[in-house]
Amino acid sequence: MADRSMGTPHLGPTPAAAAAEGAGDMDPVEYILRKRLPHKLPRRKNDIYINMKTDFKAQLGRCQKMLEAGGFSEICIHGLGLAINRAINIALQLQAASFGALRVAANTSTVELVDDLEPELDEAEAVTRTRNNSAIHIKVFLALPKGERVEPLNPCN
């Protein structure tokens, strides 16, 4: 155990050991972690799911194209986990590039994710584990001219 008074970080269990911890008394080396895809909201034409694998400029360009040439007055940007910062950045880039023509409304949530721990040996049983992850849903929409009323926002619904 590390001495916390000296500023040395506390070393916790390894990620594999932490994964196996929720599955009872098993050796983490004998299991393969398989992450299932998260449940997605119903896919609409103006929904954009942001991930960390696709290039940032490509995702930003897709959002701009939907707002400009796609005929949409609003889009909903969804980010999960590590992609939350990228989703926020895309929404803010769109707003800054519009010179005040676009507004944003954000809503956060928690998404339950399911992981499968599959044994490498046929002797053991497969184990399912659930965990929570943060998500963000950002509605980017055209601002109304002065004098028009705005209904209370319920982002992405």
Side-chain angles (χ1 to χ4, degrees):
M1 181 184 269
D3 183 11
R4 292 177 191 228
S5 63
M6 299 300 286
T8 309
H10 172 68
L11 300 175
T14 63
E21 190 177 328
D25 296 330
M26 68 175 89
D27 185 5
V29 177
E30 297 176 1
Y31 284 82
I32 298 171
L33 178 64
R34 304 256 188 237
K35 296 181 178 181
R36 292 187 196 173
L37 291 174
H39 295 288
K40 291 189 176 181
L41 295 173
R43 177 84 184 191
R44 298 171 292 194
K45 291 182 180 181
N46 62 338
D47 282 338
I48 298 173
Y49 288 90
I50 302 299
N51 61 43
M52 295 302 291
K53 292 182 181 180
T54 307
D55 182 55
F56 178 81
K57 288 184 180 179
Q59 291 175 336
L60 180 62
R62 190 166 142 228
C63 293
Q64 288 172 331
K65 186 176 179 182
M66 287 182 77
L67 286 167
E68 293 169 2
F72 294 106
S73 61
E74 69 180 39
I75 59 172
C76 193
I77 300 171
H78 304 277
L80 177 67
L82 189 60
I84 289 175
N85 287 340
R86 181 173 281 195
I88 293 169
N89 196 359
I90 287 173
L92 292 175
Q93 292 281 334
L94 291 170
Q95 186 180 30
S98 72
F99 301 108
L102 293 176
R103 301 215 181 203
V104 296
N107 187 21
T108 58
S109 66
T110 302
V111 177
E112 188 173 271
L113 302 175
V114 179
D115 297 334
D116 294 319
L117 293 166
E118 297 176 354
E120 290 183 351
L121 306 173
D122 292 335
E123 301 166 356
E125 289 185 28
V127 178
T128 302
R129 179 186 70 172
T130 59
R131 60 190 169 90
N132 292 323
N133 206 344
S134 300
I136 192 163
H137 315 281
I138 306 170
K139 183 177 178 180
V140 180
F141 57 97
L142 291 172
L144 297 174
K146 289 185 178 180
E148 291 190 34
R149 289 190 44 89
V150 177
E151 296 179 24
L153 293 178
N154 192 0
C156 304
N157 286 336

